[in-house]
Amino acid sequence: MTQIYWENIEEGNEITPLEKKPTTQDLAKWAGASGDFNPLHYEDTFAKTQHMEGPIVHGQLKRAWLAQMLTDWIGEYGDLLKFSCQFRAVDYPCVMKDLFESTGDDNPLMCKGKVTKKYTDDGKNCLDCDIWIENAKGESGTLGKATVALPSKG
Amino acid sequence: MLPEKLEKLIGQIGETGMFEVEKGAIKKYADSIGDRNPLYWDDEYARNSRYGAMIAPPGFFGWPTQWNTTMPFFSKFREKLVSASIEEGFDKLLDGGSEYDFIQPIRAGDILASMPKIIAIIEREGKSGVMLFSTLETTFINQHGVKVAKYRQTIIHRK
């Protein structure tokens, strides 16, 4: 893993984006791993009774992807201190191409972020960031904020 | 004015749950996200890291040690809040967002105690009428008595 340092980051810098092409298989895996077995995320008929076009991606899975984007970016010596997100729109999974892969063309999602503030607090080298997930149309239905601390070169 | 039944819930503390952070559960969680960070997968790598052990991805607090009412998504305490709001006519629920404070690392093998508390119920006038915003804060403490994380979940209740 590459490590970024506080000295190299400025306000306005972008966080390395993370692309996800979720399928219903990923939603089933998340259900098992997280314990959220709401049929809204894997049962077509039930999802339609909830006024959805079909099963939708778990909000908490989108939250976990944003956290992954941050921990990938800050590296092993960075600390994720605070994290928040809100879900304003639903996202649908991609169609499966074969047993394991998604076609990824229908509903790819891109996790993104930007540094909004650089400061020191209680001896920590902190960055505040805006984070969000964009769909293929460039709309952001998942929005959040995070505070991270980075190691210093000094 | 907030109905008295709901007003009374503010500040209430729910039952303590016990969660075990197992290695297998960490891997399963990381796999479902598609996260191949060696801190979640490679024992030796993790032992030699600054953490000295495998850690849990942010937001993962393990699984209940026993089948009980504190199962992650079927908390009796949360149900109490939801049913009280439904009784007052607020029967439509929306996820109002999640917020985490990550205070100390959570390591494989940790046993966490979770303590839920209703920290706020706020009434707001929205476009579609009166809405309630309730916030449930869960504090996680590890087996050494160290506060490791706080998780705040906001629910929007509409009529």
Side-chain angles (χ1 to χ4, degrees), chain A residues 44-116:
Chain A
D44 198 54
T45 310
F46 181 82
K48 282 172 179 151
T49 66
Q50 304 296 301
H51 314 291
M52 300 295 165
E53 290 165 25
I56 61 167
V57 180
H58 297 77
Q60 292 300 323
L61 176 55
K62 294 191 272 189
R63 187 267 302 154
W65 289 332
L66 283 172
Q68 184 195 353
M69 171 189 74
L70 289 161
T71 50
D72 281 354
W73 182 62
I74 63 179
E76 196 176 313
Y77 289 87
D79 289 316
L80 176 57
L81 302 176
K82 282 175 187 286
F83 179 99
S84 68
C85 75
Q86 288 189 328
F87 310 111
R88 305 242 175 106
V90 301
D91 290 293
Y92 293 95
C94 299
V95 172
M96 299 216 53
K97 183 174 69 184
D98 56 33
L99 270 182
F100 303 104
E101 295 286 323
S102 75
T103 59
D105 300 330
D106 39 356
N107 291 306
L109 297 172
M110 192 64 89
C111 302
K112 293 186 172 185
K114 201 168 77 177
V115 177
T116 55

Side-chain angles (χ1 to χ4, degrees), chain B residues 22-82:
Chain B
E22 286 180 288
K23 272 183 199 171
I26 287 175
K27 290 176 183 179
K28 208 166 153 182
Y29 187 93
D31 182 48
S32 75
I33 301 166
D35 193 335
R36 295 184 189 164
N37 190 326
L39 291 170
Y40 315 140
W41 290 99
D42 187 334
D43 249 329
E44 203 188 325
Y45 182 95
R47 253 200 317 275
N48 293 320
S49 76
R50 61 188 277 232
Y51 298 107
M54 189 177 283
I55 56 166
F60 183 62
F61 302 111
W63 279 81
T65 52
Q66 294 187 321
W67 196 96
N68 60 26
T69 54
T70 59
M71 286 296 274
F73 288 88
F74 298 98
S75 146
K76 245 191 189 165
F77 192 52
R78 187 178 182 273
E79 287 310 310
K80 188 176 167 181
L81 168 65
V82 166

